Amino acid sequence: MNDDLDFDLDELAPADAASEEELDRLWSGDMKVLSQHHTTPNGSHSFVLAHDQSATWGIPNSPQLVAIAVARDLSLSTFTLQTSHHATTAFAQNWFAERGCPPEHIALVGNDHLKPDDDLTLQVEQQIRESGTRYEVLDTHTSDYDPSETWTLTRDSDARQAPVRVFHEEWNHDAGTYTMREGAFADVDAARSWLNDRNGPLPEPPEYSSRNGAVLRARIARAALARSAAASTTSKSGLDATRVPPTTGAVQRPGQGRLL
């Protein structure tokens, strides 16, 4: 895969001012392509997941993943371009899916990325990818050093209880793995209090209770089967790989792992 950011737009003009501004921002950044998908046969749409390496020394705790969608109108020789920043690949894949790109076509593959540590991680990520507009993202946080983690603070429109959800991702670079967990809170203040203090385990959503345990176990079992099938198809897999490790040589800021 070509790591360079190239949308093949040399003979096309931006269809609007917003697309032109977005393109200028991308060229001024330090982007490394992680995954990409282009429609066939005429290549009218492109979807690119990139790592903004400048985020490691820019505004503290900014999301480092950039989702990019390009739509070309070849009859008018124009293009539109949209971007969205995310703390985790699963939320980026959800954004792509809402724009017509199947998540499996924009997954990360290869041995350069951390692997999910357990089946619950797979289940939570699948839930995010397939959630549509269910989660309203309120805030994100990325720390690539001490601790290595991200979190995404959301409001769950489907939740009858504890509608504020925190998706917490923690990386273990020594083991080459990561975990993703979902926490549930009554309101944003309670969630921010936990993120600040970490005074106890992440509260599990009510639907994780024993009353719904069978449903949860079935979802985890399906995720495990999906992972097993993906492992046997090598290049067509990729849902096992969902984080890029910190960029070598980037200036990292110690102690970023708490919400200030």
Side-chain angles (χ1 to χ4, degrees):
M1 182 184 66
N2 186 358
D3 289 345
D4 296 330
L5 196 65
D6 184 1
F7 299 113
D8 192 21
L9 302 176
D10 291 343
E11 299 180 3
L12 304 178
D16 48 45
S19 296
E20 184 173 13
E21 291 174 5
E22 291 286 6
L23 187 62
D24 288 342
R25 291 194 193 98
L26 291 176
W27 292 141
S28 64
D30 187 8
M31 302 290 175
K32 177 183 178 181
V33 174
L34 302 177
S35 184
Q36 55 188 317
H37 172 66
H38 306 279
T39 59
T40 55
N42 59 6
S44 59
H45 291 77
S46 291
F47 304 94
V48 177
L49 179 63
H51 179 218
D52 183 359
Q53 299 172 103
S54 67
T56 63
W57 47 262
I59 299 174
N61 311 129
S62 298
Q64 297 181 11
L65 298 180
V66 183
I68 308 162
V70 177
R72 304 174 185 84
D73 188 332
L74 303 180
S75 65
L76 297 177
S77 296
T78 61
F79 69 88
T80 58
L81 189 151
Q82 294 178 289
T83 66
S84 182
H85 291 74
H86 303 273
T88 66
T89 300
F91 275 99
Q93 290 173 318
N94 171 266
W95 187 85
F96 283 123
E98 289 297 293
R99 284 152 184 80
C101 178
E104 63 271 17
H105 289 173
I106 203 70
L108 304 186
V109 296
N111 296 321
D112 295 334
H113 310 291
L114 302 182
K115 303 297 189 292
D117 184 63
D118 55 22
D119 293 331
L120 182 55
T121 295
L122 292 173
Q123 188 269 322
V124 173
E125 289 184 314
Q126 180 180 353
Q127 177 179 305
I128 295 169
R129 283 192 295 268
E130 298 175 354
S131 64
T133 59
R134 171 179 173 179
Y135 299 112
E136 176 192 0
V137 175
L138 306 176
D139 197 6
T140 71
H141 175 105
T142 298
S143 169
D144 48 24
Y145 182 77
D146 191 27
S148 293
E149 67 172 12
T150 74
W151 52 254
T152 303
L153 177 64
T154 72
R155 192 181 307 278
D156 183 356
S157 61
D158 285 1
R160 296 182 178 181
Q161 303 178 54
V164 174
R165 300 296 168 96
V166 169
F167 293 93
H168 179 248
E169 181 183 67
E170 188 171 11
W171 317 329
N172 184 339
H173 294 293
D174 291 336
T177 62
Y178 69 93
T179 58
M180 173 75 84
R181 296 292 185 263
E182 178 185 4
F185 299 87
D187 52 44
V188 171
D189 288 342
R192 291 193 182 276
S193 177
W194 185 89
L195 290 167
N196 275 325
D197 302 330
R198 308 297 172 98
N199 52 355
L202 186 64
E204 288 188 343
E207 55 267 28
Y208 283 27
S209 67
S210 57
R211 181 169 58 87
N212 298 301
V215 174
L216 180 61
R217 286 192 295 273
R219 290 178 178 176
I220 293 175
R222 286 196 298 271
L225 288 173
R227 183 171 63 173
S228 177
S232 67
T233 57
T234 59
S235 63
K236 291 185 179 181
S237 66
L239 296 184
D240 305 7
T242 325
R243 275 305 302 178
V244 58
T247 305
T248 302
V251 178
Q252 297 174 332
R253 297 174 295 271
Q256 296 178 42
R258 295 293 183 269
L259 181 64
L260 300 179

